[in-house]
Amino acid sequence: MRVDILTIFPEMLRSPLEHSILKRARESGRLDVRLVDIREFSTDRHRTVDDMPYGGGAGMVMKPEPIFRSVEQIIADAGDAGPARIVLMTPQGEPFSQERARELAQEDHLALLCGRYEGVDERVREHLVPDGLSIGDYVLTGGELPALVVLDAVARLIPGVLGDEESPRHDSFTDDLLEHPQYTRPADFRGWTVPEILLSGHHEEVARWRRRQSLLRTLQRRPDLFRRHHLTEEELTLLGLERPRRRKGRPRDNA
Ligand code: SAM
């Protein structure tokens, strides 16, 4: 997958690309990240990328011309990666989620546009990049951290990027559930012991315990997710519950 990140602060993004999974994904050729400096697409001698807001008010707004030129260049230079799915990072965008990450991981070419200041001129959203993503209901100073969040969440879902042992299969938000608790050595740390079942070597029992824990903690911590999850018969049994029986026919009217 190719990912272009359009920003006026490309240096901010370099270091995270040089570590861990993002580094490995790039080195294996599964991920090709290109940092595009929007400032290089401004034509004046000061390389201006922002201006005062029409109508007055505090702060500056990112000018449309350098953004249009940089995006148009990406479209023109797509090459083998094909047309880019272009997304504007904005607190006003659709909330980013694991589901959206899975969907974006199917793309061959993604372009993430980072705003700064008070944001980008509205004509960018109206005529160039209607797709917007927000990483949460708070306002950051720029789109670079949100772009990295999206890149990281998407990259680990590209087939082959994570090894088998790191598989995202049981990660939180798969099937609308949170992941089960994890423990590692020592089995006894300051008198706090690891649940016996995890030391038993009974793989099926361990799997059942994990599923139950996953259900219980989702119910407790994220009832909104739990409501969306469709409980299987086995999961009902794990929770000691029964599926409510369907009533036959319609209840009779009170005469
Ligand atoms: N004035 C804008 C508003 O109230 O909607 C906020 C602009 S913010 C200071 C500057 C840039 O940071 C935005 O253009 C966007 O690219 C990025 N940004 C800030 N918070 C974000 C969030 N929660 N999700 C995605 N991008 C965000």
Side-chain angles (χ1 to χ4, degrees):
M1 172 191 272
R2 172 172 150 189
V3 182
D4 295 278
I5 304 183
L6 297 93
T7 165
I8 58 169
F9 293 119
E11 292 311 315
M12 260 188 86
L13 297 157
R14 280 195 211 287
S15 170
L17 300 176
E18 293 301 329
H19 299 275
S20 182
I21 307 262
L22 287 180
K23 178 181 184 202
R24 234 167 56 196
R26 290 173 54 237
E27 285 177 352
S28 71
R30 292 185 170 89
L31 181 66
D32 172 14
V33 182
R34 301 182 187 192
L35 302 178
V36 180
D37 188 350
I38 296 172
R39 216 174 268 286
E40 285 179 5
F41 294 85
S42 83
T43 47
D44 70 308
R45 138 176 113 80
H46 302 291
R47 307 216 299 165
T48 311
V49 288
D50 59 316
D51 209 334
M52 289 179 298
Y54 274 119
M60 302 294 269
V61 175
M62 285 184 80
K63 288 165 69 59
E65 308 95 310
I67 295 181
F68 268 75
R69 279 192 214 106
S70 56
V71 169
E72 281 159 1
Q73 164 117 352
I74 283 170
I75 293 170
D77 292 350
D80 289 346
R85 165 104 174 251
I86 308 166
V87 182
L88 172 67
M89 306 317 303
T90 165
Q92 303 180 16
E94 182 201 330
F96 186 55
S97 62
Q98 187 70 5
E99 194 185 342
R100 190 59 63 238
R102 271 194 290 268
E103 187 215 307
L104 293 180
Q106 310 292 320
E107 299 283 347
D108 291 326
H109 189 183
L110 202 58
L112 305 175
L113 172 58
C114 306
R116 276 271 153 183
Y117 315 117
E118 287 307 314
V120 302
D121 184 290
E122 188 63 11
R123 286 163 291 189
V124 170
R125 202 196 53 76
E126 285 171 343
H127 303 290
L128 188 67
V129 188
D131 243 1
L133 274 184
S134 163
I135 63 158
D137 289 348
Y138 39 80
V139 176
L140 299 164
T141 49
E144 289 74 16
L145 294 176
L148 278 173
V149 167
V150 171
L151 175 67
D152 191 293
V154 169
R156 62 198 300 286
L157 297 176
I158 299 172
V161 162
L162 293 186
D164 239 12
E165 68 287 2
E166 305 155 318
S167 158
R169 250 192 331 263
H170 301 296
D171 273 350
S172 294
F173 311 112
T174 307
D175 295 341
D176 292 321
L177 293 177
L178 301 179
E179 197 188 46
H180 55 78
Q182 301 274 15
Y183 296 87
T184 186
R185 284 183 289 191
D188 184 334
F189 171 64
R190 298 186 177 177
W192 298 310
T193 52
V194 170
E196 200 71 31
I197 184 75
L198 297 178
L199 312 174
S200 69
H202 294 304
H203 298 303
E204 274 178 30
E205 285 301 308
V206 168
R208 283 164 53 79
W209 180 88
R210 285 181 165 164
R211 194 65 177 173
R212 184 163 187 277
Q213 293 298 318
S214 164
L215 291 162
L216 288 175
R217 66 171 41 191
T218 310
L219 178 60
Q220 193 178 40
R221 298 177 188 181
R222 291 293 303 272
D224 58 316
L225 286 183
F226 191 82
R227 271 193 293 276
R228 293 209 305 248
H229 175 73
H230 180 77
L231 286 166
T232 62
E233 294 299 328
E234 194 193 346
E235 288 171 343
L236 282 166
T237 311
L238 281 175
L239 294 173
L241 298 172
E242 277 182 28
R243 195 179 297 288
R245 293 220 183 105
R246 277 244 184 101
R247 290 231 189 104
K248 279 187 186 159
R250 289 182 53 190
R252 286 201 304 168
D253 290 337
N254 278 345

